[in-house]
Amino acid sequence: MTGGGRLAIVAGSGQLPLYVAAAAREMGENPFIVRLRDDSRFDWSDFDNAVISVGDVAGLGRLLRENKVDRVVLSGGVARRPEWREIRPTVGILLKLPSIVKTLLSGGDDAVLQMVIKIISTLGAKVIGAHEIAPGLLATTGPFGGQKPAEEDMKDIRKAAEAALALGKLDVGQGAVSVGGRIVALEGVEGTDAMLARVTALRAEGRISPRRKGVLVKLCKPQQDVRADLPTIGIETVENAKRAGLAGIAVEAGRALVLDRDAMLKAADEAGIFVCGIDTSLGGDMVGGDMIG
């Protein structure tokens, strides 16, 4: 397909697809929403839309062709991998991407996303990042609200960032929690909210000191393609961090998305929780020394 075609948004779970769709309309686009069955829960009746199952490559190709789509944004979460019976590739896709079934069934998250990007390219469209449609969602460096990390919090930011990068290299997850310089939780397939629920439970069981708060850090995987699955935080992240007794949340500046920023920062300020963007290239001073409270 050539330029001038339509934008499609593949909508999984969460609110990100809504923000991307709204931003696309503001840019004058008329996005077509490809809803993932069992993941996309919102009412998309105000948009042209259709639903497909995860793994239905042939169905996706048909929708892209029928709607003259030349660009695709992947947004939102996917709860589960497709079963082998659910993977419906075309003969052309099998010939060009013979490892498709194996990768979709058993590859790491990053490997799966890379395969999805290759599939969409083979179908004739280009994958672009959500941040290219909604650049205002990108995290910036430094504190976002009225709360700032203290020096003790910076130690936890550095420790959790180190753990998150190591975890990302293994293509496992994007987040880690450090309390008092000790890694107490790493994100797996359960996602950030479930990881924070574990921290809350550990705190209640006395496994984590009530005198030390700690920090959640979310970073891109080192090998991650920024066109898909950027770390994302929103008001629910703040609420769960509060339940877990954390002092704050740090995400990677320029490589993370912040949803419903005003409401999230209002909730964070009321809870006494800082939210900030960090730059790992700055070494130990990832938010800037003049910004530490």
Side-chain angles (χ1 to χ4, degrees), residues 61-163:
R62 175 179 53 79
L63 289 175
L64 298 186
R65 287 193 305 274
E66 290 177 352
N67 291 279
K68 298 180 172 55
V69 170
D70 66 350
R71 291 154 297 136
V72 176
V73 173
L74 303 174
S75 64
V78 178
R80 66 177 182 86
R81 299 289 179 87
E83 299 292 337
W84 68 269
R85 298 179 187 85
E86 297 175 299
I87 300 176
R88 301 184 180 91
T90 63
V91 173
I93 289 289
L94 282 173
L95 290 174
K96 292 180 180 179
L97 302 172
S99 63
I100 177 176
V101 175
K102 179 180 178 181
T103 301
L104 293 181
L105 289 176
S106 58
D109 287 348
D110 191 64
V112 169
L113 287 171
Q114 286 293 328
M115 177 57 72
V116 171
I117 289 171
K118 289 177 182 177
I119 289 169
I120 292 172
S121 177
T122 302
L123 291 173
K126 176 184 178 182
V127 174
I128 61 175
H131 60 286
E132 296 180 63
I133 301 297
L137 298 180
L138 280 174
T140 52
T141 305
F144 300 160
Q147 304 295 321
K148 299 180 181 180
E151 184 54 44
E152 181 180 356
D153 301 323
M154 286 302 306
K155 293 177 182 177
D156 277 323
I157 288 175
R158 289 189 282 269
K159 189 71 174 181
E162 180 182 351

Side-chain angles (χ1 to χ4, degrees), residues 108 165-173 221-223:
L165 285 173
L167 188 68
K169 288 178 182 178
L170 297 174
D171 195 8
V172 176
K221 299 171 185 176
Q223 73 281 7

Side-chain angles (χ1 to χ4, degrees), residues 169-192:
K169 288 178 182 178
L170 297 174
D171 195 8
V172 176
Q174 300 172 322
V177 175
S178 173
V179 177
R182 170 192 173 204
I183 299 300
V184 300
L186 297 171
E187 181 186 16
V189 295
E190 81 278 24
T192 303

